[in-house]
Amino acid sequence: EMQEQQTILTNRVVELEEIVADKAATVSSLECILEETRSKLEYEEKDKLDLEGLYKEKIASLDKENTQQAGKLVEAKQQIGIFSDNIIDLEGEKEQLESELKSLQYEKDNMSAEITSLTNERNNLFEALTSAKEREQEMQGRLERARSDANMSDDLEEENSSLRAQVHQLQNM
């Protein structure tokens, strides 16, 4: 019975040694796998750090570009503000010029009316002048006839005087 127990125990020890050998092989295999995994993890960690570095660089680059774009946006908004102010100023000037244009149009209309009035007055004066010249010519004709008549009257008076003198002489004779 002892031997049987010893055989059972020996078999059991052999079995256990096989199990231990299997387990040792498994442990060894697991250690290799663990070593490969560690190596992969280190490689992946390095890749992760490299990628984080690249991401940080890209983010910094994008932040810088964003800041530049924001600056450009602020500048563009300022330009828009300046343009808006200029448009407002130009609209004010346009309104002022339109007002001045209306005023000038009113003055032009008044001057046109005044020119029409002065033209009518000139035409009336021209007609009056023409009429006065015609009357002057008529008066000149009358004056010349009157002078002629006066000269004739002087001649007749002289002749009349001469005839009287002759009559007087004849009476005295």
Side-chain angles (χ1 to χ4, degrees), residues 4 15 18 30 33 57 59 94 101 103 113 152-153:
E4 211 177 282
E15 237 178 72
E18 284 178 3
L30 287 175
I33 292 172
E57 285 177 20
I59 288 171
K94 177 187 167 200
L101 181 64
S103 176
M152 194 184 272
S153 175

Side-chain angles (χ1 to χ4, degrees), residues 27 29-30 60 66 88 94 113 121 157-158 160:
V27 166
S29 175
L30 287 175
N66 226 4
I88 290 168
K94 177 187 167 200
E121 190 176 331
E157 207 171 293
E158 243 178 67
N160 191 18

Side-chain angles (χ1 to χ4, degrees), residues 76-89:
K77 284 182 179 178
Q78 289 172 344
Q79 289 294 326
I80 289 170
I82 290 169
F83 290 146
S84 294
D85 291 346
N86 288 345
I87 288 170
I88 290 168
D89 291 345

Side-chain angles (χ1 to χ4, degrees), residues 1 7 12 38 71 76 89 92 110 117 124 132 139 157 162 173:
E1 254 185 59
T7 304
R12 183 74 181 137
R38 274 191 196 136
D89 291 345
N110 284 344
S117 173
N124 290 341
M139 291 303 239
E157 207 171 293
S162 171
M173 283 193 183

Side-chain angles (χ1 to χ4, degrees), residues 132-149:
K133 282 184 181 178
E134 288 172 356
R135 280 186 297 194
E136 179 187 16
Q137 287 176 353
E138 186 181 312
M139 291 303 239
Q140 188 68 34
R142 284 184 184 173
L143 181 62
E144 285 178 15
R145 280 192 302 255
R147 280 186 187 154
S148 174
D149 287 350

Side-chain angles (χ1 to χ4, degrees), residues 111-171:
M111 287 183 156
S112 293
E114 200 173 316
I115 287 170
T116 302
S117 173
L118 289 172
T119 301
N120 290 340
E121 190 176 331
R122 183 199 71 189
N123 290 341
N124 290 341
L125 287 173
F126 183 73
E127 286 177 18
L129 179 63
T130 303
S131 175
K133 282 184 181 178
E134 288 172 356
R135 280 186 297 194
E136 179 187 16
Q137 287 176 353
E138 186 181 312
M139 291 303 239
Q140 188 68 34
R142 284 184 184 173
L143 181 62
E144 285 178 15
R145 280 192 302 255
R147 280 186 187 154
S148 174
D149 287 350
N151 284 340
M152 194 184 272
S153 175
D154 286 346
D155 288 347
L156 287 174
E157 207 171 293
E158 243 178 67
E159 194 178 317
N160 191 18
S161 281
S162 171
L163 286 174
R164 276 189 191 160
Q166 283 178 3
V167 166
H168 192 32
Q169 268 181 351
L170 286 175
Q171 282 180 350

